[in-house]
Amino acid sequence: MSTQRKQFPFTEFESRWQKHWVSSKAFQASNPGDPGFDPSRPKYYILDMFPYPSGDGLHVGHVEGYTATDILARHHRMRGFNVLHPMGWDAFGLPAEQFAIKTGQHPRVTTARNIEKFRSQLQALGFSYDWDREFGTTDPGYFRWTQWIFLKLYNAWFNPQTRKAEPISTFTGSDPDSVRLAYVAEMPVNWCPELGTVLANEEVVDGKSEVGGFPVERRPLRQWMLRITAFAERLIEGLDGLDWPESIKLLQKNWIGRSEGAQVRFQIPGGDSEVSVFTTRPDTLFGATYMVLSPEHPLVPRITTAEQRAAVEEYQKKVASKSDLERTDLAREKTGVFTGASAINPVNGEALPIWIADYVLMGYGTGAIMAVPAHDERDQEFARQFGLPVREVVRERKAANEETVPGHQGGCFSGEGIAIHSGFLDGMETAAAKRAISSWLEERGLGHATVNYKLRDWLFSRQRYWGEPFPIVWEGGKHRAIDEGELPVVQPEMEDFKPTGTPEPPLSKAREWVRYSGNAQRETNTMPQWAGSCWYYLRFCDPKNSSHFIGADAEKFWLSSSGTPGSVDLYVGGTEHAVLHLLYARFWHKVMFDLGHLTTPEPFQRLVNQGMILGPDGQKMSKSRGNVITPDSVIEDYGADSLRLYEMFMGPLEQTKPWSMKGVEGGHRFLARVWRLGLQENQEGGWELSPDLADIPFTLAQARVVHETIKKVTADISSLSFNTAISQMMVCTNEFVNAKPRPLAALRILLPLLSPFAPHLAEELWSRLGFEGAASAQPWPVHDEALLVETEIEIPVQVNGKLRDRIRVPAQASKEDVEAAARASAKIIESTAGQSIVKIIIVPGKLVNMVVRPA
RNA sequence: CCGGGUGUGGCGAAAUGGCAGACGCAUUGGACUUAAAAUCCAAUGACCUUUUUGGUCGUGCGGGUUCGAGUCCCGCCACCCGGACCA
């Protein structure tokens, strides 16, 4: 702010209250069994998304979400809820490790420093977290249980009969390792030479690493995987019971990518090979004119003919070196190579040439397709490129009165229609043809109807130092779990945790640590950052428990006592976690639920995404644009309350909105006006009680505004409409600014209403006015509906929908009386002159509309 | 290309199908002041009109439903954010 003098002494009292709240544990939540726990109060678990404590500190986007949840937490406490509102740190992760490598400082040191900074910034905003529950994912007391949960996954399988995770002991097959929820597989993975690590698909953006933007290539490697695909169906079904934005549910559904179709097996003559394909259009089987395998398909070397071998291998090599960006560039021309082999189309015995092409992905379906160029755009493009035949087998259905036109102009027809040139399918609608061909294939053992998912198993290992070590040892080429009693498995102290430059993880350099026993070695991979953030909301319920990951009583009370499938009542955070974090957490939660460790099937009942805050220039905030607003600087100039209030006043929580310093000043001015309702500045520059204050009753008008304010603020907080709640408090404040004498009762009601938004100022004023207790501990005010009823109201009178006059009528006036009053209006008589009144619409208490027509 | 979101004054925004623009910012005028800042009061969608009383138009564009549409339906446009050869 440009002025030298503060409008109110926030620098002095804000930090004082912050210290008081922390040292008095003002917002501590008690668990069942704790002294002071009151089971008659319902629970409210409100959670912010776990922050990664980066070196840059908090930004204004964090503040937006955190302020919203803080308002709700404070509001619920005042309404008598047991409120669980915790905060902690998602502290493992690549940036800390990268920084450590660059500076030579141990990531533990920099992580601790960043956490310090984050915590002090959060406390400087007056958020009402229960700091006794704070923890970080890097605390051995926490990751001990992350490792424990991994062991639960390792020792469980998905029973397709019960559709549930069960202990591996219930598996009756011969090879339990083939069904574990945590398993080892040789997988083509994203290897980033620069980072010296493998990345998850999610961490690769446009063929480059999300962190650092380095090129990524594909390599087969032995990896730990989590069998999330087994839960695909349940992860879709579970969404129904959740109060999430529909757009987020859709995002998750699309990510899981369920599609119904069929698997079809094609024999390859001259050998005992066959190739399986997945197709959503088995009805077009007669239209297949060639086949394509992914270049990585294991069958490729076996079927390639001698003449084609050189070309095929060259193509495979070229594809392998391509980044994902190049490979998925839609604009580029299709490429591919003929293998020399053919497969037999089971429906008509035709020989189909088998090609390899990188537009077929190994990771989806079976990594092979039957190409139907007449009815698939990609296949058609490829067929054109290489001069392959096109055969039409679906005719577009035309409107009844039109002549049906076989053949198509230009593009290709990929919709549903009527089967043609398809033998026994001819004349069938697409849906019927799909059913017919599926059972035809099944009867002959050539295929079957099936469901395929886009979702893939979760690549769960990383070649890094700063993550949770696996509680696994290797002996004689086989993995086994270490004893639960040996947890946590802590990383060794290492001087050098740089990547080895090979896929060998940094931990492999700690020779002593790796040697577990005479012939057993520790697993040297570490878990991804997602692991720690997958279950932190559970630990917050019972963070100190050293014998269980969460105690049964705490679990029941905080997670399941509201009777919803979800556990956390409200979860607020950015859209960037719409898919991965939320999906992973739901997956783990379901496993723990199946295994009997949790009593709810879903983690987060209600989800809200706060919108992005743009820079003052309307652009995304970024260092390079130089438009970053830091909370620290705003707090310094205007105080924490002003920052909180402004961010809530900007607009709807979920909307993207630009920053305005002038807007901050407006909020600041409002708070100053509230301050001056109670206090005035004396000659020495100190603040004393305003002489205008008096213990007098409200006027009728004042009482109405106050009770309207209680009503609206209460309703608006519940609907997360913080901006309109604030504007109503402004209206209320403006009502009293010039009231002399000014009823003390106004502040007695306004300050508790304001306290969730601007807790420091509310508390300070409350205590200076000599009110008893704390503003934040007052019961939430209740409005008196009787004070809101008006005796006489003004209603608009329209003629043909256009406003012509306003009339005053008693609030309880009958329709007849209102009509009479409207007809009596001079302006109405004038504007209806010479016309006949056809109809009169009267909405009681709202308006009158006269429909007239020239007479 | 696909999906999602948004479009209302100079700006951020309000508005169960019922008086469009609450509240805030900015601007202008006034009060207070030696002066300024702060504060308080007033005006502030556009256009027309003879001051006024008044009138016309107005929620991205084009249609529709309705006594009445920012709001509901159909068809477009623009911008923002995601995803992307998923067979």
Side-chain angles (χ1 to χ4, degrees), chain A residues 274-286:
Chain A
E274 61 171 37
V275 56
S276 252
V277 305
F278 172 74
T279 175
T280 54
R281 293 297 300 270
D283 60 298
T284 62
L285 190 47
F286 284 90

Side-chain angles (χ1 to χ4, degrees), chain A residues 290 315 331-337 355 357 359 373 377-390:
Chain A
Y290 63 101
Y315 184 73
R332 75 176 238 278
E333 288 195 334
K334 296 248 181 305
T335 59
V337 173
W355 289 63
Y359 83 93
E377 239 174 282
R378 298 153 299 178
D379 295 346
Q380 185 166 82
E381 205 184 311
F382 189 83
R384 278 221 197 101
Q385 184 83 20
F386 294 99
L388 293 159
V390 176

Side-chain angles (χ1 to χ4, degrees), chain A residues 265-269 291 342-352:
Chain A
R265 286 155 48 192
F266 291 71
Q267 299 299 319
I268 300 173
M291 303 193 64
S342 310
I344 302 301
N345 188 338
V347 287
N348 55 16
E350 268 178 39
L352 304 175

Side-chain angles (χ1 to χ4, degrees), chain A residues 135-146 488 535 539 543 545-546:
Chain A
F135 60 78
T137 51
T138 50
D139 300 347
Y142 178 79
F143 70 71
R144 165 193 178 172
W145 296 106
T146 310
W535 73 284
R539 190 63 178 170
N545 195 324
S546 56

Side-chain angles (χ1 to χ4, degrees), chain A residues 42-332:
Chain A
K43 69 100 178 183
Y44 186 68
Y45 185 177
I46 179 161
L47 183 65
D48 295 300
M49 282 188 188
F50 218 28
Y52 174 76
S54 74
D56 295 336
L58 216 56
H59 60 73
V60 291
H62 286 119
V63 175
E64 184 184 21
Y66 297 169
T67 303
T69 54
D70 195 55
I71 289 167
L72 286 158
R74 289 172 174 270
H75 173 69
H76 277 80
R77 280 191 206 98
M78 292 170 82
R79 287 173 53 202
F81 284 77
N82 270 311
V83 172
L84 180 56
H85 188 41
M87 178 50 75
W89 321 107
D90 186 15
F92 274 129
L94 202 48
E97 184 162 340
Q98 296 286 92
F99 186 77
I101 290 165
K102 239 191 296 181
T103 62
Q105 271 189 65
H106 198 282
R108 187 170 293 121
V109 176
T110 54
T111 300
R113 195 170 54 219
N114 290 348
I115 287 175
E116 273 315 304
K117 180 170 180 183
F118 251 71
R119 188 194 301 110
S120 72
Q121 283 185 308
L122 292 176
Q123 289 178 348
L125 279 153
F127 293 138
S128 64
Y129 295 117
D130 176 357
W131 289 105
D132 277 7
R133 292 173 187 260
E134 173 192 357
F135 60 78
T137 51
T138 50
D139 300 347
Y142 178 79
F143 70 71
R144 165 193 178 172
W145 296 106
T146 310
Q147 292 167 335
W148 179 83
I149 293 172
F150 176 83
L151 289 182
K152 297 294 136 193
L153 289 155
Y154 179 82
N155 287 314
W157 70 299
F158 185 82
N159 183 339
Q161 249 68 58
T162 57
R163 296 183 72 223
K164 281 170 75 169
E166 292 179 8
I168 196 77
S169 54
T170 69
F171 178 69
T172 53
S174 57
D175 182 13
D177 285 352
S178 66
V179 296
R180 293 178 188 276
L181 293 183
Y183 64 99
V184 173
E186 186 86 7
M187 293 294 293
V189 295
N190 306 298
W191 165 250
C192 179
E194 199 75 27
L195 296 176
T197 184
V198 163
L199 300 170
N201 291 333
E202 307 82 80
E203 292 167 317
V204 181
V205 179
D206 289 344
K208 299 208 172 96
S209 62
E210 190 183 16
V211 178
F214 304 117
V216 172
E217 57 193 53
R218 299 181 75 76
R219 274 205 197 186
L221 262 190
R222 180 181 63 71
Q223 298 290 332
W224 282 96
M225 306 290 294
L226 297 187
R227 208 177 297 279
I228 189 172
T229 50
F231 288 80
E233 200 64 51
R234 280 179 52 200
L235 287 168
I236 294 173
E237 288 165 6
L239 291 169
D240 287 344
L242 302 179
D243 308 319
W244 289 17
E246 281 307 314
S247 59
I248 300 290
K249 289 188 182 181
L250 198 63
L251 230 46
Q252 291 224 342
K253 279 184 196 159
N254 291 345
W255 187 266
I256 295 166
R258 181 186 201 278
S259 59
E260 289 181 14
Q263 255 193 51
V264 186
R265 286 155 48 192
F266 291 71
Q267 299 299 319
I268 300 173
D272 50 356
S273 321
E274 61 171 37
V275 56
S276 252
V277 305
F278 172 74
T279 175
T280 54
R281 293 297 300 270
D283 60 298
T284 62
L285 190 47
F286 284 90
T289 55
Y290 63 101
M291 303 193 64
V292 187
L293 304 188
S294 154
E296 299 93 348
H297 199 287
L299 221 47
V300 174
R302 294 222 333 250
I303 61 168
T304 304
T305 58
E307 310 84 76
Q308 292 300 105
R309 187 160 304 274
V312 163
E313 282 173 3
E314 193 195 336
Y315 184 73
Q316 284 179 314
K317 227 160 125 194
K318 210 170 76 197
V319 168
S321 68
K322 264 187 204 169
S323 74
D324 273 10
L325 176 63
E326 293 171 289
R327 214 177 144 158
T328 59
D329 182 5
L330 278 174
R332 75 176 238 278

